Amino acid sequence: MTRTIALLGSTGSIGRQTLEVARELGLGVAALTANSSVDLIEAQAREFSPRLAVLYDADAANELRRRLADTDVEVLSGMDGLLAAATVDEADTVVTAVVGMIGLRPTLAAIERKKRIALANKETLVCAGALVMDAADKYGAELVPVDSEHSAIFQCLQGCRDRSEIKRLILTCSGGPFYGLSFDELAGKTRADALRHPNWTMGAKITVDSATLMNKGLEIIEAMRLYRLPLSKVAAVIHRQSIVHSLVEFRDGALLAQLGTPDMKLPIRYAMTYPYRAPSPAEPLDLLSCPPLTFAEPDEHTFRCLRIARTCAEAGGTSCAIMNGANEVAVYAFLRERIGFNDIPALVQAALDETPQVSNPALSDILEADRLARESVRARIR
Ligand code: MG
C-alpha cells in the first residue's frame, strides 16, 4: 500500500529526508508543518500539494498564506495548526519529526485517530513515554521508530513473539566529536566543535546532544518506553564506525544486529513500508571495504549527561521531563554561545535538584515539570 503522510517538522533534517523518501516511493503528502521557514515550506508545498501547510509562528504563517494564495493549500498556525496536521483525514501515517516537547500533543492526537506514527521525536517518548505507549495500545495505533538505533532494534525484533525472550537491547553510540577527551578538555569546546559530528548529518540540537552523549541517554529512555523494559535491560556501547545501528541480545545468547551505512533514509523508508521493504537507490554497505568494527564502554564520568539520563531513567516520574526540558534550553543557549559546553550537564543537574518531582504523572504534571525545568535553566543563565 502506498501511504499518505502528514509530516510534522518538514524543514528539518529528518523532514527533508522524509520528503526525499516520499518522492522516491511516490507517497502522498497531506500536511506539512514547520516552525517559521517560509521559503522552504513554500517550495515543499508547491511540489507536494498538501491539503494543509502549517507554520507554528503566526507572522510566518501569514506570509506563507499570502505566497500560497494561488494554490489550494490551506495555511494554519500555532498548536491548533499542528493538531490539525496531525489529524488530517487524508493521512494514514504521521511522521513526527519536530524537535522537542512541542511534538507531544500532536503525537497523542494522531494516535487517537489510529494513524501509524513514524516516530522521529524522541523527546515525546522520553517525557511522556507511558502516556504515549498506553494511548497507542488503547487506540491500536502502530508506532514505528525512525531513530536509527530504535529502528535497528525494531527490525531485529521482527519475528520475536515473546518479549520475555529479550535479555538486553544494546544501543550503539558513535561517541560524538569529543570521544576520548577528559571532562576538563571539554570545557573550552565551542559550538563549531560540537557541530562537527564524525558520521551523521543531523540538525543542530541533536548534534550537540550527540556531543554531550545526552542523545544516547535520551535514546536509552526512548528504548525503555518503546519496548517496556527496565533500565537494566537497555545498554549503550560506543561504536565509532556507526555501522552496527544497534543490537538485541536474546536469552539463548543470540545477538541480532542491523548493519548499514549511516543513512537516515533507511529507517525513514522502513517506517513507511513496514512490514515490507522497498528497493533503495543508495549504495549498500560494502563489508569488504568497511573499517574494522570496534566497541567500547561509554565514559560517564566525562559525559555527565549520560549519567544524569540513566539516573532519571531509573527514577522515572517527571524526572525525565525535567531533564529533557532543561537540556533543550541549555543546548539552545550553548548554540547561541551564551554558555559553555560543560554548563549543559551542570544546568540540567541544577534543574533536577530544584524542581519538585511527581511520580505517576498525568499529562498536566509532565507539561508543568517541563515548564519549571525550562524556567530554572533560563533563570540561571540570566
Ligand atoms: Mg539515534
Side-chain angles (χ1 to χ4, degrees):
M1 122 187 208
T2 303
R3 295 192 163 262
T4 296
I5 62 170
L7 173 52
L8 311 186
S10 66
T11 59
S13 174
I14 296 286
R16 283 176 280 134
Q17 295 182 78
T18 300
L19 289 176
E20 287 178 42
V21 170
R23 205 177 277 135
E24 182 193 303
L25 297 177
L27 304 179
V29 177
L32 295 170
T33 86
N35 183 37
S36 60
S37 306
V38 178
D39 291 344
L40 184 50
I41 201 169
E42 181 195 357
Q44 292 174 341
R46 290 191 181 280
E47 178 180 353
F48 291 95
S49 303
R51 185 156 80 70
L52 275 179
V54 177
L55 284 175
Y56 191 74
D57 181 272
D59 292 337
N62 286 334
E63 170 65 13
L64 181 66
R65 192 173 296 114
R66 198 183 57 72
R67 292 201 201 172
L68 291 176
D70 63 320
T71 69
D72 294 331
V73 181
E74 184 185 354
V75 177
L76 299 173
S77 69
M79 182 51 76
D80 288 345
L82 276 182
L83 292 170
T87 54
V88 67
D89 283 339
E90 293 88 336
D92 47 63
T93 301
V94 175
V95 183
T96 58
V98 291
V99 179
M101 262 295 271
I102 196 168
L104 177 57
R105 286 181 57 203
T107 303
L108 289 171
I111 286 172
E112 287 172 21
R113 294 294 191 92
K114 303 185 181 4
K115 313 277 193 195
R116 172 181 289 185
I117 310 296
L119 191 82
N121 172 248
K122 68 186 71 174
E123 293 88 347
T124 298
L125 277 190
V126 167
C127 299
L131 286 176
V132 170
M133 296 308 294
D134 289 350
D137 282 352
K138 177 175 169 192
Y139 293 98
E142 280 178 317
L143 259 166
V144 185
V146 168
D147 207 345
S148 61
E149 295 80 358
H150 305 79
S151 174
I153 289 165
F154 187 80
Q155 294 176 57
C156 293
L157 287 176
Q158 295 309 309
C160 172
R161 304 249 179 271
D162 177 0
R163 288 283 164 85
S164 69
E165 294 172 354
I166 301 170
K167 192 167 169 203
R168 277 195 310 166
L169 307 181
I170 304 171
L171 300 173
T172 53
C173 173
S174 74
F178 305 145
Y179 176 70
L181 300 186
S182 69
F183 185 73
D184 291 338
E185 287 169 320
L186 294 183
K189 291 299 174 191
T190 64
R191 170 196 155 98
D193 297 329
L195 290 181
R196 229 172 272 131
H197 194 277
N199 302 335
W200 293 94
T201 312
M202 306 177 288
K205 197 263 177 181
I206 186 174
T207 305
V208 174
D209 283 342
S210 298
T212 62
L213 299 204
M214 179 58 96
N215 184 53
K216 207 50 51 181
L218 295 172
E219 289 182 349
I220 287 172
I221 300 165
E222 185 184 3
M224 290 166 62
R225 302 295 181 253
L226 267 174
Y227 300 107
R228 297 187 189 272
L229 292 171
L231 180 61
S232 60
K233 290 194 167 191
V234 184
V237 295
I238 301 289
H239 168 53
R240 294 292 284 159
Q241 299 80 29
S242 296
I243 286 174
V244 178
H245 296 314
S246 280
L247 313 89
V248 180
E249 183 182 331
F250 291 93
R251 63 183 177 192
D252 62 356
L255 276 101
L256 298 191
Q258 185 248 323
L259 285 70
T261 53
D263 176 2
M264 284 308 296
K265 288 203 285 286
L266 192 147
I268 294 168
R269 199 180 291 112
Y270 189 69
M272 299 300 120
T273 62
Y274 161 80
Y276 303 102
R277 289 181 186 272
S280 163
E283 277 296 309
L285 173 69
D286 177 6
L287 285 174
L288 299 182
S289 67
C290 83
L293 305 181
T294 59
F295 302 91
E297 184 92 28
D299 173 2
E300 291 192 10
H301 177 72
T302 298
F303 295 98
R304 298 188 177 175
C305 285
L306 180 58
R307 191 177 62 203
I308 293 171
R310 290 172 57 85
T311 307
C312 291
E314 191 74 72
T318 46
S319 62
C320 295
I322 295 167
M323 176 192 79
N324 177 70
N327 181 62
E328 271 188 51
V329 176
V331 168
Y332 286 114
F334 173 76
L335 284 169
R336 288 196 311 273
E337 301 180 309
R338 299 269 316 269
I339 63 169
F341 189 75
N342 283 344
D343 293 330
I344 299 172
L347 287 164
V348 173
Q349 187 59 56
L352 281 161
D353 292 341
E354 70 187 30
T355 309
Q357 317 235 350
V358 179
S359 45
N360 299 318
L363 180 57
S364 56
D365 299 316
I366 291 165
L367 296 173
E368 178 64 1
D370 175 72
R371 190 186 69 76
L372 290 171
R374 285 165 198 268
E375 198 37 59
S376 153
V377 175
R378 283 193 200 105
R380 273 170 197 273
I381 292 172
R382 280 198 295 269

